[in-house]
Amino acid sequence: MKNWIRWWGLGLFIGLSLIWFLCIDYIIEYSIEAAGSKVVGAQVDVAEARLELFPLMLGIDGLAVTNPERPMENLFSSERISLQLDNGRLFRRQIIIDDAMIEGVRLNAPRKQSGALAGTKQPVEKKQGEGSSQEFDMPGFDLPDPKALIAAEKGKIKAQIDDIKNNIKSLEKQWNDRIEALPNKETVATYKQRWKEIKKKNWLKKISATKSLHSDIKKDLKQIKALNARLKADIKLVKSEVKRAKALPEKEADRILESIGYSGGSRNLVEGLFGGQAKQWLAKITGLFQQTSSVSTETQEQAPQRGAGQWVHFNEVEPHPDFLIKQAKVSGSLDFQGELINYSGNISDITHQPKSWHEAALFSFKGKSKAGANFKANGSIDLRNEAVSNMTVSFNELNLKDLTLSGSTSMPLSLASAMLNGRGEIELKNGQIDLNSKSQFSKTQFSSGSTASDSAPSLSTTKQLLVDTLKGVNKFNLDIGLTGNAENPDLSLKSDLDKILSEALKAQVGNKISAYKESFKADLQKEILPELSSLDSDADFLNKIEQVIASKKADMSSLL
């Protein structure tokens, strides 16, 4: 009985327990750093990790994930992370986090030391704005040859005229068919013959037969009168179609000139001013969302190597993925042009195996700065079947400072200050993007980098006119759209600056464009005149129809 306790075994247990409690935190910390660095391709740092068994909790302080493209910047960092684990699921080799608390989150924060891994190729970091500026080119005012434009567009114009002609021909056929159905000379003769026969009958039969004859004649008259009303409506319609055809030279002149950028507007100018910078804004805003909304990287099961064995998976009542965060509360701060916006929010159902879970990932955030700037964002990431992700963002009273609009040497331009309000929606579906954003800029102050120094080239008269005009603008709207392939979408811009800049340019180029338009319209009129000249004769059929109806009406009325 004295040997029922094996002291060496107890000592070993105590020793292993001490090693566990003394070293497990360091083991976890090392594991996170090693595994994270391998996955990201850049250094992952953890200041401290803590494991608590009852209840099972994992705490991570000072997590910093380096951006592999920019090693002096953290892609993600947090001050504290607290994870409550489902200990029962660990025996199934599943890491299920029931609740998480992620605090002090920052994105794209600078690092003190490079986070590039040893032996990896160092990416060339571009300075902000480098390689992104584009020369702003003023649209030229060398107007193209009108005859060449007309030759290129004649097919479209002729198609419109042919459509009008076909409509009139179709209407003419319908009226010919209706006239054929009306009482004709034979019908009138029949009615007259019936009246002669009625006169020969006795007075009792004469009354009944006369009543029947009058009833038949009145029915035909009613049909004729109904067509008369319909005829008036069709005459109005045909006149409208002829008028539309004759207005084609004016309308098509406007359309063609607008299509080549000479409508007197300045849409091309606005795209030139904001297009390059807008793409950068959207790339930053949508970049992270596109990464998290990408198609799942779940791998197909592969047969185990011979002799390596395999884990056995049993059917579950409620199947779970290998990793899942059911709920998480997130808080942190965003540095928006030097203004710190503190935010908080919730995310749910985050997993790298979405097809193994029955819920889509949801997120919702809101934040506010001390100066009053605020934003809200919510959406979903659903990769269970089709890859469909949505996000809605609203932002108010964001203060902009020294925002470069054009970094070109020919026309440097920036937004010195402004207040931004707006809303945007984005959808990613099977690699296609659909983004719409409506923004209002107020309290705007534009600034030009042009100076009178010898080294700085002076602006042309037209460019200086645009700069001076923008300096007088204190508010404007800007609508931005992205559609198409998410890797290289089509950008569209719309702004009320179109009209403002257009008015400024009219004094300089308006007379030239107006004279060109009149010349262009005259050439176009001459080119399509043969097509238009036949329209009046084509529409004359209705006058003949009107005469036929009047004649038939008179013939039938004379029988009563």
Side-chain angles (χ1 to χ4, degrees), residues 20 51-53 56-58 84-97 311 321-323:
W20 167 272
L51 180 66
E52 300 177 11
L53 297 179
L56 187 59
M57 300 279 292
L58 176 62
Q84 182 176 336
L85 302 171
D86 184 339
N87 52 2
R89 289 283 171 179
L90 288 176
F91 293 103
R92 295 176 178 263
R93 296 190 307 122
Q94 294 172 330
I95 301 176
I96 308 300
I97 301 169
W311 289 91
D322 294 339
F323 175 83

PDB file of all heavy atoms in Angstrom, residues 20 51-53 56-58 84-97 311 321-323:
ATOM      1  N   TRP A  20       3.595  23.967 -18.920  1.00  0.00           N
ATOM      2  CA  TRP A  20       2.378  24.408 -19.625  1.00  0.00           C
ATOM      3  C   TRP A  20       2.001  25.833 -19.230  1.00  0.00           C
ATOM      4  O   TRP A  20       1.846  26.708 -20.075  1.00  0.00           O
ATOM      5  CB  TRP A  20       1.231  23.443 -19.334  1.00  0.00           C
ATOM      6  CG  TRP A  20      -0.130  23.973 -19.755  1.00  0.00           C
ATOM      7  CD1 TRP A  20      -0.970  24.736 -19.027  1.00  0.00           C
ATOM      8  CD2 TRP A  20      -0.764  23.776 -21.017  1.00  0.00           C
ATOM      9  NE1 TRP A  20      -2.097  25.029 -19.735  1.00  0.00           N
ATOM     10  CE2 TRP A  20      -1.996  24.449 -20.982  1.00  0.00           C
ATOM     11  CE3 TRP A  20      -0.404  23.080 -22.167  1.00  0.00           C
ATOM     12  CZ2 TRP A  20      -2.880  24.463 -22.042  1.00  0.00           C
ATOM     13  CZ3 TRP A  20      -1.294  23.097 -23.227  1.00  0.00           C
ATOM     14  CH2 TRP A  20      -2.515  23.778 -23.164  1.00  0.00           C
ATOM     15  N   LEU A  51      -3.748  32.585 -22.453  1.00  0.00           N
ATOM     16  CA  LEU A  51      -4.741  31.527 -22.561  1.00  0.00           C
ATOM     17  C   LEU A  51      -5.329  31.245 -21.188  1.00  0.00           C
ATOM     18  O   LEU A  51      -4.604  31.013 -20.226  1.00  0.00           O
ATOM     19  CB  LEU A  51      -4.121  30.246 -23.123  1.00  0.00           C
ATOM     20  CG  LEU A  51      -5.080  29.057 -23.281  1.00  0.00           C
ATOM     21  CD1 LEU A  51      -6.135  29.359 -24.339  1.00  0.00           C
ATOM     22  CD2 LEU A  51      -4.322  27.785 -23.625  1.00  0.00           C
ATOM     23  N   GLU A  52      -6.653  31.293 -21.089  1.00  0.00           N
ATOM     24  CA  GLU A  52      -7.367  30.954 -19.858  1.00  0.00           C
ATOM     25  C   GLU A  52      -8.240  29.742 -20.145  1.00  0.00           C
ATOM     26  O   GLU A  52      -8.904  29.671 -21.183  1.00  0.00           O
ATOM     27  CB  GLU A  52      -8.221  32.141 -19.395  1.00  0.00           C
ATOM     28  CG  GLU A  52      -7.414  33.404 -19.097  1.00  0.00           C
ATOM     29  CD  GLU A  52      -8.304  34.577 -18.714  1.00  0.00           C
ATOM     30  OE1 GLU A  52      -9.500  34.340 -18.482  1.00  0.00           O
ATOM     31  OE2 GLU A  52      -7.807  35.719 -18.663  1.00  0.00           O
ATOM     32  N   LEU A  53      -8.236  28.806 -19.185  1.00  0.00           N
ATOM     33  CA  LEU A  53      -8.923  27.535 -19.428  1.00  0.00           C
ATOM     34  C   LEU A  53     -10.380  27.534 -18.973  1.00  0.00           C
ATOM     35  O   LEU A  53     -11.204  26.828 -19.567  1.00  0.00           O
ATOM     36  CB  LEU A  53      -8.157  26.398 -18.728  1.00  0.00           C
ATOM     37  CG  LEU A  53      -6.729  26.157 -19.240  1.00  0.00           C
ATOM     38  CD1 LEU A  53      -6.082  25.029 -18.462  1.00  0.00           C
ATOM     39  CD2 LEU A  53      -6.737  25.849 -20.733  1.00  0.00           C
ATOM     40  N   LEU A  56     -12.748  28.901 -21.491  1.00  0.00           N
ATOM     41  CA  LEU A  56     -11.662  28.883 -22.448  1.00  0.00           C
ATOM     42  C   LEU A  56     -11.618  30.220 -23.184  1.00  0.00           C
ATOM     43  O   LEU A  56     -12.501  30.550 -23.982  1.00  0.00           O
ATOM     44  CB  LEU A  56     -11.852  27.735 -23.440  1.00  0.00           C
ATOM     45  CG  LEU A  56     -10.689  27.485 -24.412  1.00  0.00           C
ATOM     46  CD1 LEU A  56      -9.403  27.187 -23.647  1.00  0.00           C
ATOM     47  CD2 LEU A  56     -11.028  26.324 -25.350  1.00  0.00           C
ATOM     48  N   MET A  57     -10.579  31.004 -22.911  1.00  0.00           N
ATOM     49  CA  MET A  57     -10.438  32.340 -23.486  1.00  0.00           C
ATOM     50  C   MET A  57      -9.015  32.500 -24.021  1.00  0.00           C
ATOM     51  O   MET A  57      -8.059  32.009 -23.424  1.00  0.00           O
ATOM     52  CB  MET A  57     -10.701  33.430 -22.440  1.00  0.00           C
ATOM     53  CG  MET A  57     -12.091  33.404 -21.826  1.00  0.00           C
ATOM     54  SD  MET A  57     -13.313  34.198 -22.900  1.00  0.00           S
ATOM     55  CE  MET A  57     -12.764  35.898 -22.797  1.00  0.00           C
ATOM     56  N   LEU A  58      -8.896  33.218 -25.142  1.00  0.00           N
ATOM     57  CA  LEU A  58      -7.595  33.547 -25.704  1.00  0.00           C
ATOM     58  C   LEU A  58      -7.518  35.054 -25.875  1.00  0.00           C
ATOM     59  O   LEU A  58      -8.382  35.660 -26.516  1.00  0.00           O
ATOM     60  CB  LEU A  58      -7.395  32.858 -27.058  1.00  0.00           C
ATOM     61  CG  LEU A  58      -6.082  33.200 -27.799  1.00  0.00           C
ATOM     62  CD1 LEU A  58      -4.871  32.773 -26.978  1.00  0.00           C
ATOM     63  CD2 LEU A  58      -6.060  32.558 -29.187  1.00  0.00           C
ATOM     64  N   GLN A  84     -13.544  34.127 -27.034  1.00  0.00           N
ATOM     65  CA  GLN A  84     -14.162  33.076 -26.211  1.00  0.00           C
ATOM     66  C   GLN A  84     -14.399  31.859 -27.103  1.00  0.00           C
ATOM     67  O   GLN A  84     -15.195  31.888 -28.024  1.00  0.00           O
ATOM     68  CB  GLN A  84     -15.485  33.558 -25.608  1.00  0.00           C
ATOM     69  CG  GLN A  84     -16.138  32.523 -24.702  1.00  0.00           C
ATOM     70  CD  GLN A  84     -17.399  33.059 -24.045  1.00  0.00           C
ATOM     71  OE1 GLN A  84     -17.563  34.256 -23.896  1.00  0.00           O
ATOM     72  NE2 GLN A  84     -18.282  32.152 -23.659  1.00  0.00           N
ATOM     73  N   LEU A  85     -13.691  30.755 -26.800  1.00  0.00           N
ATOM     74  CA  LEU A  85     -13.699  29.584 -27.662  1.00  0.00           C
ATOM     75  C   LEU A  85     -14.696  28.540 -27.182  1.00  0.00           C
ATOM     76  O   LEU A  85     -14.993  28.432 -25.989  1.00  0.00           O
ATOM     77  CB  LEU A  85     -12.300  28.965 -27.705  1.00  0.00           C
ATOM     78  CG  LEU A  85     -11.170  29.889 -28.188  1.00  0.00           C
ATOM     79  CD1 LEU A  85      -9.828  29.221 -27.977  1.00  0.00           C
ATOM     80  CD2 LEU A  85     -11.360  30.239 -29.638  1.00  0.00           C
ATOM     81  N   ASP A  86     -15.186  27.772 -28.135  1.00  0.00           N
ATOM     82  CA  ASP A  86     -16.036  26.622 -27.844  1.00  0.00           C
ATOM     83  C   ASP A  86     -15.112  25.425 -27.620  1.00  0.00           C
ATOM     84  O   ASP A  86     -14.579  24.849 -28.572  1.00  0.00           O
ATOM     85  CB  ASP A  86     -16.990  26.380 -29.023  1.00  0.00           C
ATOM     86  CG  ASP A  86     -17.983  25.260 -28.753  1.00  0.00           C
ATOM     87  OD1 ASP A  86     -17.710  24.414 -27.872  1.00  0.00           O
ATOM     88  OD2 ASP A  86     -19.026  25.207 -29.429  1.00  0.00           O
ATOM     89  N   ASN A  87     -14.885  25.055 -26.329  1.00  0.00           N
ATOM     90  CA  ASN A  87     -13.898  24.007 -26.040  1.00  0.00           C
ATOM     91  C   ASN A  87     -14.339  22.644 -26.569  1.00  0.00           C
ATOM     92  O   ASN A  87     -13.514  21.804 -26.914  1.00  0.00           O
ATOM     93  CB  ASN A  87     -13.593  23.946 -24.540  1.00  0.00           C
ATOM     94  CG  ASN A  87     -14.870  23.832 -23.719  1.00  0.00           C
ATOM     95  OD1 ASN A  87     -15.970  23.757 -24.263  1.00  0.00           O
ATOM     96  ND2 ASN A  87     -14.725  23.829 -22.403  1.00  0.00           N
ATOM     97  N   GLY A  88     -15.646  22.400 -26.660  1.00  0.00           N
ATOM     98  CA  GLY A  88     -16.110  21.117 -27.182  1.00  0.00           C
ATOM     99  C   GLY A  88     -15.737  20.926 -28.643  1.00  0.00           C
ATOM    100  O   GLY A  88     -15.440  19.810 -29.087  1.00  0.00           O
ATOM    101  N   ARG A  89     -15.734  22.011 -29.406  1.00  0.00           N
ATOM    102  CA  ARG A  89     -15.418  21.927 -30.827  1.00  0.00           C
ATOM    103  C   ARG A  89     -13.928  21.707 -31.081  1.00  0.00           C
ATOM    104  O   ARG A  89     -13.538  21.263 -32.163  1.00  0.00           O
ATOM    105  CB  ARG A  89     -15.874  23.204 -31.532  1.00  0.00           C
ATOM    106  CG  ARG A  89     -17.377  23.342 -31.649  1.00  0.00           C
ATOM    107  CD  ARG A  89     -17.907  22.453 -32.736  1.00  0.00           C
ATOM    108  NE  ARG A  89     -19.369  22.392 -32.744  1.00  0.00           N
ATOM    109  CZ  ARG A  89     -20.088  21.700 -33.605  1.00  0.00           C
ATOM    110  NH1 ARG A  89     -19.474  20.994 -34.535  1.00  0.00           N
ATOM    111  NH2 ARG A  89     -21.400  21.673 -33.533  1.00  0.00           N
ATOM    112  N   LEU A  90     -13.084  22.030 -30.111  1.00  0.00           N
ATOM    113  CA  LEU A  90     -11.655  21.827 -30.286  1.00  0.00           C
ATOM    114  C   LEU A  90     -11.318  20.351 -30.486  1.00  0.00           C
ATOM    115  O   LEU A  90     -10.370  20.011 -31.183  1.00  0.00           O
ATOM    116  CB  LEU A  90     -10.888  22.380 -29.081  1.00  0.00           C
ATOM    117  CG  LEU A  90     -10.823  23.909 -28.971  1.00  0.00           C
ATOM    118  CD1 LEU A  90     -10.125  24.310 -27.682  1.00  0.00           C
ATOM    119  CD2 LEU A  90     -10.091  24.503 -30.173  1.00  0.00           C
ATOM    120  N   PHE A  91     -12.109  19.472 -29.836  1.00  0.00           N
ATOM    121  CA  PHE A  91     -11.868  18.026 -29.989  1.00  0.00           C
ATOM    122  C   PHE A  91     -12.201  17.551 -31.394  1.00  0.00           C
ATOM    123  O   PHE A  91     -11.814  16.464 -31.793  1.00  0.00           O
ATOM    124  CB  PHE A  91     -12.691  17.248 -28.953  1.00  0.00           C
ATOM    125  CG  PHE A  91     -12.229  17.483 -27.539  1.00  0.00           C
ATOM    126  CD1 PHE A  91     -12.953  18.320 -26.707  1.00  0.00           C
ATOM    127  CD2 PHE A  91     -11.079  16.893 -27.049  1.00  0.00           C
ATOM    128  CE1 PHE A  91     -12.545  18.546 -25.408  1.00  0.00           C
ATOM    129  CE2 PHE A  91     -10.659  17.126 -25.752  1.00  0.00           C
ATOM    130  CZ  PHE A  91     -11.385  17.957 -24.920  1.00  0.00           C
ATOM    131  N   ARG A  92     -12.955  18.352 -32.142  1.00  0.00           N
ATOM    132  CA  ARG A  92     -13.265  18.029 -33.542  1.00  0.00           C
ATOM    133  C   ARG A  92     -12.307  18.767 -34.488  1.00  0.00           C
ATOM    134  O   ARG A  92     -12.560  18.832 -35.678  1.00  0.00           O
ATOM    135  CB  ARG A  92     -14.704  18.430 -33.871  1.00  0.00           C
ATOM    136  CG  ARG A  92     -15.760  17.648 -33.109  1.00  0.00           C
ATOM    137  CD  ARG A  92     -17.140  18.217 -33.445  1.00  0.00           C
ATOM    138  NE  ARG A  92     -18.203  17.496 -32.782  1.00  0.00           N
ATOM    139  CZ  ARG A  92     -18.927  16.515 -33.329  1.00  0.00           C
ATOM    140  NH1 ARG A  92     -18.650  16.140 -34.570  1.00  0.00           N
ATOM    141  NH2 ARG A  92     -19.880  15.903 -32.668  1.00  0.00           N
ATOM    142  N   ARG A  93     -11.262  19.373 -33.920  1.00  0.00           N
ATOM    143  CA  ARG A  93     -10.302  20.173 -34.678  1.00  0.00           C
ATOM    144  C   ARG A  93     -10.981  21.361 -35.348  1.00  0.00           C
ATOM    145  O   ARG A  93     -10.674  21.743 -36.472  1.00  0.00           O
ATOM    146  CB  ARG A  93      -9.583  19.339 -35.744  1.00  0.00           C
ATOM    147  CG  ARG A  93      -8.713  18.228 -35.174  1.00  0.00           C
ATOM    148  CD  ARG A  93      -7.825  17.588 -36.233  1.00  0.00           C
ATOM    149  NE  ARG A  93      -8.593  17.134 -37.385  1.00  0.00           N
ATOM    150  CZ  ARG A  93      -8.370  17.537 -38.619  1.00  0.00           C
ATOM    151  NH1 ARG A  93      -7.424  18.412 -38.882  1.00  0.00           N
ATOM    152  NH2 ARG A  93      -9.104  17.069 -39.618  1.00  0.00           N
ATOM    153  N   GLN A  94     -11.941  21.960 -34.647  1.00  0.00           N
ATOM    154  CA  GLN A  94     -12.643  23.142 -35.147  1.00  0.00           C
ATOM    155  C   GLN A  94     -12.432  24.296 -34.165  1.00  0.00           C
ATOM    156  O   GLN A  94     -12.629  24.135 -32.957  1.00  0.00           O
ATOM    157  CB  GLN A  94     -14.143  22.873 -35.302  1.00  0.00           C
ATOM    158  CG  GLN A  94     -14.478  21.841 -36.366  1.00  0.00           C
ATOM    159  CD  GLN A  94     -15.949  21.458 -36.349  1.00  0.00           C
ATOM    160  OE1 GLN A  94     -16.607  21.492 -35.299  1.00  0.00           O
ATOM    161  NE2 GLN A  94     -16.461  21.074 -37.508  1.00  0.00           N
ATOM    162  N   ILE A  95     -12.023  25.429 -34.704  1.00  0.00           N
ATOM    163  CA  ILE A  95     -11.848  26.625 -33.865  1.00  0.00           C
ATOM    164  C   ILE A  95     -13.096  27.480 -34.044  1.00  0.00           C
ATOM    165  O   ILE A  95     -13.250  28.185 -35.049  1.00  0.00           O
ATOM    166  CB  ILE A  95     -10.584  27.408 -34.267  1.00  0.00           C
ATOM    167  CG1 ILE A  95      -9.355  26.514 -34.116  1.00  0.00           C
ATOM    168  CG2 ILE A  95     -10.446  28.676 -33.433  1.00  0.00           C
ATOM    169  CD1 ILE A  95      -8.071  27.152 -34.584  1.00  0.00           C
ATOM    170  N   ILE A  96     -13.995  27.389 -33.084  1.00  0.00           N
ATOM    171  CA  ILE A  96     -15.256  28.118 -33.132  1.00  0.00           C
ATOM    172  C   ILE A  96     -15.216  29.189 -32.043  1.00  0.00           C
ATOM    173  O   ILE A  96     -15.134  28.865 -30.856  1.00  0.00           O
ATOM    174  CB  ILE A  96     -16.468  27.193 -32.934  1.00  0.00           C
ATOM    175  CG1 ILE A  96     -16.402  26.009 -33.917  1.00  0.00           C
ATOM    176  CG2 ILE A  96     -17.760  27.979 -33.091  1.00  0.00           C
ATOM    177  CD1 ILE A  96     -16.395  26.408 -35.368  1.00  0.00           C
ATOM    178  N   ILE A  97     -15.282  30.429 -32.447  1.00  0.00           N
ATOM    179  CA  ILE A  97     -15.250  31.558 -31.512  1.00  0.00           C
ATOM    180  C   ILE A  97     -16.671  32.059 -31.349  1.00  0.00           C
ATOM    181  O   ILE A  97     -17.262  32.624 -32.275  1.00  0.00           O
ATOM    182  CB  ILE A  97     -14.320  32.668 -32.038  1.00  0.00           C
ATOM    183  CG1 ILE A  97     -12.901  32.117 -32.217  1.00  0.00           C
ATOM    184  CG2 ILE A  97     -14.328  33.870 -31.114  1.00  0.00           C
ATOM    185  CD1 ILE A  97     -11.973  33.046 -32.970  1.00  0.00           C
ATOM    186  N   TRP A 311      -7.725  12.128 -40.795  1.00  0.00           N
ATOM    187  CA  TRP A 311      -8.692  12.408 -39.743  1.00  0.00           C
ATOM    188  C   TRP A 311     -10.071  11.955 -40.202  1.00  0.00           C
ATOM    189  O   TRP A 311     -10.465  12.164 -41.338  1.00  0.00           O
ATOM    190  CB  TRP A 311      -8.732  13.899 -39.433  1.00  0.00           C
ATOM    191  CG  TRP A 311      -7.499  14.384 -38.731  1.00  0.00           C
ATOM    192  CD1 TRP A 311      -6.364  14.881 -39.296  1.00  0.00           C
ATOM    193  CD2 TRP A 311      -7.286  14.394 -37.319  1.00  0.00           C
ATOM    194  NE1 TRP A 311      -5.451  15.216 -38.339  1.00  0.00           N
ATOM    195  CE2 TRP A 311      -5.993  14.932 -37.104  1.00  0.00           C
ATOM    196  CE3 TRP A 311      -8.050  14.008 -36.213  1.00  0.00           C
ATOM    197  CZ2 TRP A 311      -5.459  15.096 -35.843  1.00  0.00           C
ATOM    198  CZ3 TRP A 311      -7.515  14.177 -34.944  1.00  0.00           C
ATOM    199  CH2 TRP A 311      -6.235  14.706 -34.761  1.00  0.00           C
ATOM    200  N   PRO A 321     -17.780  24.890 -39.919  1.00  0.00           N
ATOM    201  CA  PRO A 321     -16.507  24.945 -40.648  1.00  0.00           C
ATOM    202  C   PRO A 321     -15.339  24.757 -39.683  1.00  0.00           C
ATOM    203  O   PRO A 321     -15.527  24.683 -38.463  1.00  0.00           O
ATOM    204  CB  PRO A 321     -16.512  26.347 -41.258  1.00  0.00           C
ATOM    205  CG  PRO A 321     -17.375  27.155 -40.344  1.00  0.00           C
ATOM    206  CD  PRO A 321     -18.425  26.216 -39.822  1.00  0.00           C
ATOM    207  N   ASP A 322     -14.137  24.687 -40.200  1.00  0.00           N
ATOM    208  CA  ASP A 322     -12.966  24.502 -39.342  1.00  0.00           C
ATOM    209  C   ASP A 322     -12.661  25.750 -38.513  1.00  0.00           C
ATOM    210  O   ASP A 322     -12.086  25.654 -37.424  1.00  0.00           O
ATOM    211  CB  ASP A 322     -11.739  24.161 -40.198  1.00  0.00           C
ATOM    212  CG  ASP A 322     -11.895  22.806 -40.868  1.00  0.00           C
ATOM    213  OD1 ASP A 322     -12.708  21.995 -40.376  1.00  0.00           O
ATOM    214  OD2 ASP A 322     -11.223  22.568 -41.888  1.00  0.00           O
ATOM    215  N   PHE A 323     -13.039  26.924 -39.046  1.00  0.00           N
ATOM    216  CA  PHE A 323     -12.820  28.166 -38.306  1.00  0.00           C
ATOM    217  C   PHE A 323     -14.039  29.057 -38.479  1.00  0.00           C
ATOM    218  O   PHE A 323     -14.550  29.232 -39.592  1.00  0.00           O
ATOM    219  CB  PHE A 323     -11.574  28.894 -38.826  1.00  0.00           C
ATOM    220  CG  PHE A 323     -11.363  30.246 -38.187  1.00  0.00           C
ATOM    221  CD1 PHE A 323     -10.733  30.344 -36.959  1.00  0.00           C
ATOM    222  CD2 PHE A 323     -11.803  31.402 -38.815  1.00  0.00           C
ATOM    223  CE1 PHE A 323     -10.553  31.581 -36.355  1.00  0.00           C
ATOM    224  CE2 PHE A 323     -11.630  32.642 -38.222  1.00  0.00           C
ATOM    225  CZ  PHE A 323     -10.999  32.731 -36.983  1.00  0.00           C
TER     226      PHE A 323
END
